[in-house]
Amino acid sequence: MAFQGKNESVDIKAQAHVWKIIYGFADSLVLRCAVELGIFDIIDNNIQPIALAELASKLPISNVNLDNLYRILRYLVKMEILSYADGSKKYTLEPIATLLLRNQKRSMVPMVLGMTQKDFMTPWHSMKDGLSDNGTAFEKAMGMTIWEYLEGHPDQSQLFNEGMAGETRLLTSSLISGSKDMFQGIDSLVDVGGGNGTTIKAISDAFPHIKCTLFDLPHVIANSYDHPSIERIGGDMFKDMPSAQAILLKLILHDWNDEDSIKILKQCRKAVPKDGGKVIIVDVALDEESDHELSSTRLILDIDMLVNTGGKERTKENWEKLVKCAGFSGCKIRHIAAIQSVIEVFP
């Protein structure tokens, strides 16, 4: 034996840790398989725990091999998404599975399908090539930027936008409930890069006194929600943006490097008044020493930006430096019940 006693125990733990890392992709793709098959929705709609054969009969595929299905379900139990009901071999949902139901307001299904789509996983294999200064891993793998890719691939763009909308729905309720005092003091707001309008619609509904505007690229605005209380304007945030008391940048600056982020912030500074104006950034505020349950996910998001957009997630010190380089006096960070934080920036 190469190891004896305590050393053998340490070696086994080390091997287990490395094996878990090696097969980390398996969790994502088993989850995708279950979502695509509608397993969680089938169990939820069944009202009571469901047996293997009955579940198989309700899947949207024919000739289901019961042993193969059992092995997938066994792993979902190990992932603590499913469980066995009362010691039987019938399956029921764990509370976490409510985030994986398609009809739930806070469903994470769009993120599961978007993040694990083949083309979006390909650039991760080119990560080492993206460490140079001449392009991201996405560009090296796909031959174009992620934005060019999405513009030229409508189906993938829709999947990407659905994933972003799903993340937005998850985030927006926490943003509103955790920042009521901030929104109550605002009379006009422009959501820059606001996509289909999910966030600005929720803010308008929660705070009807705010004059709300959605601003994004013209082709995005064309596919956004038409809401009677929200003005929709197409344009380019690098060139100009509508004026308001407050500008909202939600999940925007992490897509861009510091140089481009400063350009965007300088346009924001032109759009808000010096007295009483502010920019509201909703993005990750990294704390590299934190043991918070979302800390690892925040660092993964930073690698996501490295691979796909050339952007980055930022620490408190990064944010303070960035906003001052753009000509603002400073910023204040408030944490909400989400991966992201709210960074209030003042002229």
Side-chain angles (χ1 to χ4, degrees), residues 8 16 20 37 67 69 97 112 136 157 188 191 196 213 230 235 265-266 273 280 292 306 314 317 321 331 342:
E8 182 178 2
K20 183 178 180 182
L37 291 173
D67 183 60
L69 176 60
V112 173
T136 64
S157 180
S188 59
D191 185 1
N196 65 9
T213 301
I230 300 171
L265 285 169
K266 284 183 175 179
I280 302 165
H292 190 278
L306 171 71
R314 296 175 169 92
E317 292 74 23
K321 181 179 179 181
C331 64
V342 177

Side-chain angles (χ1 to χ4, degrees), residues 78-307:
K78 185 67 175 177
M79 291 171 70
E80 299 182 343
I81 300 174
L82 300 182
S83 59
Y84 299 117
D86 301 324
S88 71
K89 285 297 182 180
K90 291 186 175 181
Y91 298 93
T92 188
L93 300 179
E94 285 290 287
I96 187 178
T98 59
L99 294 171
L100 300 168
L101 300 175
R102 291 178 181 270
N103 61 353
Q104 290 294 310
K105 185 177 180 181
R106 292 170 62 83
S107 175
M108 295 183 74
V109 165
M111 286 86 91
V112 173
L113 297 177
M115 294 301 297
T116 59
Q117 193 271 340
K118 286 182 181 179
D119 279 1
F120 293 146
M121 295 190 76
T122 298
W124 290 79
H125 291 273
S126 298
M127 195 183 305
K128 69 180 189 304
D129 301 317
L131 295 181
S132 63
D133 288 329
N134 59 341
T136 64
F138 192 99
E139 291 171 67
K140 299 296 176 65
M142 309 301 288
M144 64 189 82
T145 68
I146 188 172
W147 315 118
E148 292 167 340
Y149 171 86
L150 292 172
E151 190 171 353
H153 296 77
D155 290 344
Q156 306 308 327
S157 180
Q158 182 179 351
L159 191 62
F160 177 85
N161 289 333
E162 286 173 356
M164 288 299 297
E167 184 175 2
T168 292
R169 285 190 292 272
L170 204 62
L171 170 59
T172 297
S173 61
S174 295
L175 171 63
I176 290 174
S177 63
S179 309
K180 287 182 179 179
D181 59 320
M182 179 183 70
F183 286 114
Q184 286 168 348
I186 294 171
D187 56 36
S188 59
L189 176 71
V190 176
D191 185 1
V192 172
N196 65 9
T198 298
T199 296
I200 198 68
K201 179 180 181 300
I203 291 172
S204 179
D205 290 343
F207 306 98
H209 71 280
I210 300 178
K211 180 179 182 288
C212 291
T213 301
L214 176 66
F215 181 74
D216 211 316
L217 294 169
H219 73 273
V220 177
I221 290 295
N223 294 311
S224 63
Y225 298 128
D226 187 7
H227 192 283
S229 300
I230 300 171
E231 184 178 7
R232 298 183 299 162
I233 300 175
D236 184 341
M237 64 184 174
F238 284 97
K239 297 177 179 178
D240 195 17
M241 61 183 64
S243 297
Q245 183 186 357
I247 299 292
L248 175 64
L249 295 172
K250 178 187 58 60
L251 305 178
I252 300 296
L253 295 184
H254 74 161
D255 284 334
W256 303 95
N257 61 30
D258 287 348
E259 182 181 355
D260 286 332
S261 293
I262 289 169
K263 290 177 183 177
I264 296 168
L265 285 169
K266 284 183 175 179
Q267 292 298 333
C268 293
R269 188 160 59 89
K270 293 178 184 177
V272 300
K274 291 183 178 179
D275 295 327
K278 68 174 65 177
V279 178
I280 302 165
I281 300 169
V282 184
D283 255 326
V284 167
L286 287 177
D287 182 348
E288 296 168 359
E289 305 301 322
S290 173
D291 58 358
H292 190 278
E293 57 263 35
L294 289 173
S295 292
S296 293
T297 306
R298 289 168 179 147
L299 289 171
I300 291 170
L301 289 176
D302 182 55
I303 301 300
D304 187 355
M305 296 303 103
L306 171 71
V307 168

